[in-house]
Amino acid sequence: MPSLTRDEARQRAQLITVDRMEVDLDLDRGAEHFGSTTRIRFSCSTPGESTFLDVRPVSCERIELNGIQVDPATLFEGRLPLTDLGAENVVEVVATMAYSRDGQGLHRSTDPADDEDYVYGHLFLDAAPTVFACFDQPDLKAPYAVTVRAPESWVVLGNGRATRGDDSTWQLSETLPLATYFVTVCAGPYVSVHDEHDGIPLGIHARRSLQPELERHAPQMFEVTKQSFDHYHRTFDVRYPFGDYDQVFVPEFNAGAMENPGCVTFRDQMLHRGAATREQVLQRSNTISHEMAHMWFGDLVTMRWWDDLWLNESFAEFMAYTCTSAATEFTDSWVEFGIARKQWGYAAERAPSTHPVAGSPAPDAQSALANFDGISYAKGASVLRQLVAHMGEAAFNAGVTAYLRSHEHGNGQLSEFLAAMEEAHGESLADWSAAWLETAGVDVIALDRDGTLTRTAPDAHPANRTHTLDVAGFTDGAEVARESVRLDGPSVHVDLADATVRLPNASDLTWAQVDLDAATLAALPTDLARIADPVARSVVWGAVLTGVYRSTVDPAVALDVFTATWPHESHDALMTRVAHAFDHRIVPQFVRDEARGDAAARLGVAALAAFESAEPGSDRALVAARFLAETSTDSERLTAWVEARSLPAGLEGDSDFRWLVLQRLARLDLAPDDLVDRVSADDTTLSGHLAALAARAARPGIRDKEWAWGEITTNRERSNYELNALAAGFWSSGAVDDMRPYAGRYVSDIPRLAEWLGADALDRVATLAFPSRVVEDATAELVRSAMGRPDVSSGVRRSMGDELSKLEEALTSRARWA
């Protein structure tokens, strides 16, 4: 299928205006197909001209344009020509569509807990034509009137309030103008809880088998929802415009969530089945706040084209962390941002695919998928923090409000946003935008023992970025100095007296990778755990991690810092993210083969030390128990935990923890079929089914690997989540000699999945199935060669390239520190 180009979109938007969309869906036709009838009223600025409609059906039963039959045979590669247009037009398309299994379009999933079916629409980025006929581009917004026929036992939700008729047909109230990719319908035997706030009806919905989890978590989610509404109403001074506010937790969702106006969809793993740490609740709360911010940035005002994606995602990211830190109990949410989101963004900046925050080329819609990364999210949010520091919070909020009001229910772009902000600021932002928004790359900031703070821009992307930040000094963990700095040149002098640990960007206010001096690095094993400020510790941990990835820190030194200080870390977000980085990347990739066993054992020792010292039932104990379950080689302890004996406090009956332990046993080749079957019989949920697949794929035996790879690459019945589980388990174990052949099979087999798998799902599989544990030059050569092949899609090429960049970082580090 051809992807819509920017030029085609511009030409079509100049020619037509969509006035109203009427969509009728029949979801009562069985498990494979559904009926779709679309009536589009649109005007044409130049009568007699032609355009095309986007629709990708199984079959077309009838097409009419202005009362005249159109031959369905003219439909080619998803495009239906519309010729001899009038000033006012009506096109009607009656079609049969297919449910998806890859999380795109109208996805249908069967819950193995009770065999109930659930449907949800995820029309991002260009999947709308698989559900209804449309002019599928973000700047042709229109009101939607939707009806849905569904089985008798189903509930229907969507962008407008749903009202049930007498014949199992639901009418959704007509919406305000929406972009095509924001339209959704959720249908199935969903269960619900309701509330109201500030005149806005609220609903939270989930699968019937998740009703206990829904009811347990709903009060906290409603609280964050209400706090976020109040914060955004105060900040934007523009009321939420989309009527009811439903939040639907759906199965097998590719993204974290999607900001459909009035009907936000979330991956339902966020309804935690067992124990949840404060960080996990923060992540969900931040996602709730993030998607709500989109009601203004993305939904009320939509980017004109995908190259201004940052106007959606950077703002939602920044606004969400601002909201959670200012208006909820999570006043420390920027700690999690620094160690999780910024690390994701820094990795994207180091990759060859790095791009500017704004204006990154998106010549067609599909290519825009490559920009949904840590740059558009984390870097964009960090840049906005710098803009607030540059122009002041009051002027920033005034500019945002002016932009929203002048473009509401329409579209915007970078130049229009900057104009509003310059009006509020009273000065030009051209230089600021050129340096921060329109130039790729991340600066490196370092502070030497003489007090010289330096800024180094990357050679490939030179820019004169002014950094507003602070530096701090610590001795024996106590803060002895802190100084605010405006770094607008190559260097500036700061006075930190005789501080032992010297930390640039101590409050994590700017976007920059931090190099720690040798004396500071040497002091960390004794001093890091004693620093009280969790933001400062987040910056230190981030500097250690990025130092390993950039080959400026010896992995052995980083491991010494970890084993000495991680068992004493008190912030659960830092504990979780740093442990994950060492266990999933630094030890498997950066530590040489002959030393890896000892390094992995040291992780287990650190996990045990933290577990034994933590208060039972605390967040710290929970994180430590999970890390111990992932790293321990104590088969007696692991077996006891699987059999529900001697479980840590708070983890009794926790199925997810049990699967975590079983997957560790599987990696140790101690999980035979009968054990996996027995645990599966106790957990017949979708989560249990996926965990069992991951466990089987995690076993190191050659036959197990062959089975798992065949399921990933040849079984077309596997859903997106099943493929993810298999791919994640596959590379978690196995001798390098046994796994090496799969590097070659990766480059030959994974691109072929495009024959039946959607781009969103395929790109994720291409990432998870990457041969990251075969850290060899030959692997890098295989992938480089594959990336040049014409049969490799742009999304898979991006996934390959990003993972190759990480592999090359490990190869460089091994050579540097050999």
Side-chain angles (χ1 to χ4, degrees), residues 345-387:
Y346 290 148
E349 285 273 52
R350 295 193 303 272
S353 56
T354 185
H355 57 85
V357 172
S360 184
D364 58 61
Q366 202 63 35
S367 67
L369 277 173
N371 296 332
F372 281 82
D373 59 15
I375 294 173
S376 296
Y377 287 74
K379 181 180 181 179
S382 299
V383 166
L384 290 173
R385 288 188 88 183
Q386 283 290 293
L387 181 57

Side-chain angles (χ1 to χ4, degrees), residues 17-21 138-145 159 173-183 241-242 260-261 295 298-302 407-411:
T17 300
V18 184
D19 301 310
R20 191 168 192 263
M21 296 284 298
D139 59 343
L140 288 179
K141 299 171 74 171
Y144 279 76
N159 303 100
S173 59
E174 185 166 331
T175 71
L176 293 168
L178 305 180
T180 47
Y181 76 98
F182 289 140
V183 179
F242 296 108
N260 314 301
M295 298 300 122
D299 298 2
L300 180 66
V301 182
T302 306
H407 292 80
E408 61 182 353
H409 305 305
N411 299 83

